[in-house]
Amino acid sequence: MLIDKRQANIRMVLVNTSHPGNIGGAARAMKNMGLFELYLVQPKEYPAPRAVWRAAGARDVLDNVKVVESVDQAIEGCGLVIGTSARERRIPWPMINPRQCGQRIWKESVTHDVALLFGREDRGLTNSELQKCNYHVNIPSNPDYSSLNLATAVQVLAYEIRMASLSDDQGVLQNIDEWDQPLATSDEVELFHEHLEKTMEEVKFYDPENPKQLLTRMRRLFNRSRMDQMEVSILRGLLSSIDRITEK
Ligand code: SAH
């Protein structure tokens, strides 16, 4: 299978999927739109004949599937992570619509890996999974019946990536992100958050007994700012200096 570098940089991640038919349906939706990197985080039933049946001519996407144990593994190495959300959450996150999502994914996939996360059929993504994301995307559906079938949601967002790629070919899109440093990857950002939490606890700024929304707000702040690798290492250096003082 010969695929363009950008297509290889775009991952669709299905978290804890219950119905193997949806996995096959997602694979077919992806291949129709020219995408091939499918990650499954702890699928309930996979491999499964129903997945193969629903995939039809997209068997090669299933053969290429990566089954992983956690969302962190699925998004490892990614410079952009976008989560799908069918409903409003208590702490709002930067929201984009499917069109903006397609454009952003297509533009950024020139320079780094990107991941689009899809949730469980019955309850979507958890708050902590959503908090690993830079943006949330909502498909603006009928408010009285807003939740799409999982494979259908994959289809809609894969189509928008396709449309962005076609308009890009015609030179319509502007470069969204040009930067002097590579963006920090999700695993580097995760290590930063772990370090920040530890240091904030050491200096008694953060009390795990009374967490309020501090860690969530810190995640939202830093995910919104799209840190590059240099910025993450500066901040980690600062935290280490604080650690050295408090350890004395
Ligand atoms: N009852 C769940 C909906 C799960 S639908 C909830 O309230 O969150 C299964 C998955 O399909 C979702 O996790 C999401 O990945 C995708 N999806 C369904 N409808 C969507 C919508 N309107 N916008 C964005 N993603 C949607």
Side-chain angles (χ1 to χ4, degrees):
M1 185 163 45
L2 191 65
I3 55 174
D4 172 279
K5 172 174 175 285
R6 283 210 224 183
Q7 289 164 324
N9 287 355
I10 300 172
R11 302 178 194 174
M12 299 297 220
V13 179
L14 308 188
V15 181
N16 249 195
T17 308
S18 303
H19 303 293
N22 280 333
I23 297 173
R28 180 175 186 170
M30 286 171 60
K31 186 169 176 182
N32 282 145
M33 298 299 127
L35 298 174
F36 297 92
E37 292 299 318
L38 179 58
Y39 283 63
L40 305 177
V41 179
Q42 295 197 4
K44 298 257 163 62
E45 192 188 329
Y46 191 81
R50 266 183 303 159
V52 177
W53 180 70
R54 275 284 299 278
R59 181 69 204 262
D60 48 350
V61 176
L62 289 186
D63 291 341
N64 182 45
V65 148
K66 279 102 187 157
V67 179
V68 295
E69 284 302 307
S70 65
V71 170
D72 283 337
Q73 275 175 24
I75 63 178
E76 194 178 330
C78 288
L80 170 70
V81 181
I82 301 181
T84 50
S85 167
R87 59 196 150 97
E88 297 281 313
R89 305 278 162 164
R90 199 154 66 93
I91 290 226
W93 222 252
M95 290 291 309
I96 52 177
N97 66 35
R99 196 134 306 162
Q100 294 165 322
C101 175
Q103 295 181 345
R104 184 159 279 283
I105 286 181
W106 185 249
K107 271 295 166 197
E108 295 205 18
S109 61
V110 185
T111 48
H112 46 262
D113 285 359
V114 304
L116 189 51
L117 303 186
F118 294 87
R120 299 151 187 84
E121 288 93 335
D122 53 348
R123 45 194 185 90
L125 293 165
T126 64
N127 285 337
S128 85
E129 288 160 355
L130 281 164
Q131 286 168 15
K132 295 180 189 295
C133 300
N134 303 108
Y135 299 95
H136 293 167
V137 57
N138 175 255
I139 300 167
S141 44
N142 175 1
D144 295 333
Y145 188 60
S146 62
S147 172
L148 280 75
N149 162 266
L150 173 59
T152 310
V154 172
Q155 182 72 79
V156 170
L157 295 173
Y159 170 74
E160 289 294 346
I161 297 170
R162 181 86 181 155
M163 287 304 284
S165 76
L166 297 175
S167 52
D168 193 33
D169 283 347
Q170 292 149 26
V172 174
L173 292 179
Q174 300 294 316
N175 268 354
I176 298 174
D177 289 286
E178 283 182 350
W179 209 246
D180 57 338
Q181 298 289 327
L183 282 188
T185 61
S186 57
D187 35 304
E188 290 163 346
V189 174
E190 195 59 40
L191 288 173
F192 162 70
H193 279 294
E194 284 167 20
H195 194 167
L196 178 65
E197 178 180 344
K198 195 174 116 284
T199 306
M200 288 196 305
E201 194 179 334
E202 258 165 34
V203 298
K204 303 208 171 357
F205 182 69
Y206 167 61
D207 176 5
E209 300 295 314
N210 183 21
K212 303 207 182 97
Q213 296 288 352
L214 179 64
L215 299 184
T216 304
R217 289 188 185 282
M218 286 297 194
R219 276 182 181 273
R220 186 171 71 167
L221 165 65
F222 288 107
N223 281 350
R224 199 164 78 227
S225 74
R226 312 297 308 282
M227 293 183 289
D228 65 37
Q229 291 180 351
M230 174 84 78
E231 290 162 343
V232 169
S233 75
I234 291 171
L235 286 171
R236 298 245 0 221
L238 170 65
L239 291 173
S240 298
S241 305
I242 297 172
D243 296 343
R244 276 193 294 279
I245 293 172
T246 54
E247 275 158 15
K248 274 184 194 156

